[in-house]
Amino acid sequence: MIKKKDIKWSELGFSYVKTDKRYVSYFKDGKWDDGQLVEDNRLTISEGSTSLHYGQQCFEGLKAYSNKDGGIQLFRPDQNALRMQRSCDRLLMPKVPVEKFVDACKKVVLANEAWVPPYGSGATLYLRPFLIGVGDNVGVRPASEYIFCIFCTPVGPYFKGGMAPVNFVTTDFDRAAPIGTGKDKVGGNYAASLLAHKQAVDAGFADSIYLDPKTHTKIDEVGAANFFGITKDNRFITPISSSILPSITKYSLLHVAKEYLGMEASEEEVKIDELDKFAEAGACGTAAVISPIGGIQHKGNMHTFYSQTEVGPITRKLYDTLMGIQLGDVKAPEGWIVKVK
Ligand code: PLP
Ligand code: COI
């Protein structure tokens, strides 16, 4: 039995903690090497690397969960691998095979077992796979060499308060263009979001809400999470848009709402001036898990949902079912869980 690190797990926020081992694999001469676990958390790359100048990089985020019985499992890592492949297609980077991606995730979790938060602690182990273009270069072109890494860090809630409702504010900025890279998990989208995020936080909000970049009339995303709302007639609705990240949590919740809670669930356009139809609203994502939205401020007007202090009953059921699946307490749909140990 591995001795866990002496950490106050329940006090963790979403910040970097250096763990023992990370996975690194190099792509050279048209092929990936076998990859290995290393201790050094620094990378040495050429000053001409395309990832540094032209944003030729992409990343993923997924979590490992401790079970009640001491096992450890990953949630839908194949979906992260496939999304990273789509990001690679968009930025002309070599794809990491799904099996290599999932295998590397397992290796990183096992090598850092002492850092996997215990069952019931409220914390989880966040894995950050990323792929960068490297090598000597100066022109705007794809790199000829790449590095694929995965590090992990134990985390608590992304939005302060976890399951306590938080408020958001719409921004006039766009994080991505209508047919740009919004549906891919590439660093440029996040660089473009930093200012809107700062403005929202400075004004006392948890994050900014992005509207669709073409018309600015529909909800796209909630910072680094997708939006969902529960209508007053009990339907689960989450935005459809060409510029949002196809959230694995969102697709999982669509399934949970339909198959576990017996609700109608669909992707639809969500007009910012039609928030009245929702009884409850939330942000969802790997880091965010489910964060209830207390209210959304748009053009100076605050629209409030279920409560500023309490989680709505449907949001609570979605959270309990999804977390139950992720922790191994509720039977998962076929293929959603990958056991590490
Ligand atoms: N939207 C953005 C912009 C994100 O960065 C994330 C996080 O990955 C999400 C949504 C949620 O996606 P997922 O549920 O796959 O983590
Ligand atoms: C995630 O939920 O995995 C994210 O990537 C969100 C953020 C920390 C970028």
Side-chain angles (χ1 to χ4, degrees), residues 6 11 87 130 142 203 231 292:
D6 188 16
E11 290 174 18
S87 299
F130 63 101
T231 61

Side-chain angles (χ1 to χ4, degrees), residues 211-286:
L211 300 177
D212 71 292
K214 201 165 182 180
T215 70
H216 278 210
T217 59
K218 295 167 277 186
I219 291 188
D220 245 11
E221 295 206 80
V222 188
N226 274 188
F227 173 87
F228 70 85
I230 311 298
T231 61
K232 290 179 175 158
D233 58 355
N234 206 35
R235 286 179 298 129
F236 177 97
I237 291 177
T238 180
I240 189 158
S241 163
S242 62
S243 46
I244 64 177
L245 192 77
S247 155
I248 295 158
T249 314
K250 182 262 292 282
Y251 287 119
S252 306
L253 285 175
L254 278 163
H255 184 88
V256 164
K258 264 190 222 159
E259 305 301 328
Y260 288 67
L261 306 185
M263 298 168 68
E264 269 183 51
S266 55
E267 293 174 275
E268 289 175 22
E269 291 182 342
V270 174
K271 301 226 173 71
I272 188 67
D273 59 6
E274 289 181 3
L275 295 179
D276 255 348
K277 70 181 183 194
F278 296 114
E280 299 176 34
C284 66
T286 299

Side-chain angles (χ1 to χ4, degrees), residues 14 59-63 80 83 126-128 158 185 190 224-225 245 249 284-289:
F14 196 86
F59 68 99
E60 276 301 323
L62 69 159
K63 285 175 171 173
N80 294 92
R83 189 169 64 191
Y126 183 74
L127 274 69
R128 171 52 61 84
Y158 183 70
K185 205 159 168 62
Y190 296 81
L245 192 77
T249 314
C284 66
T286 299
V289 193

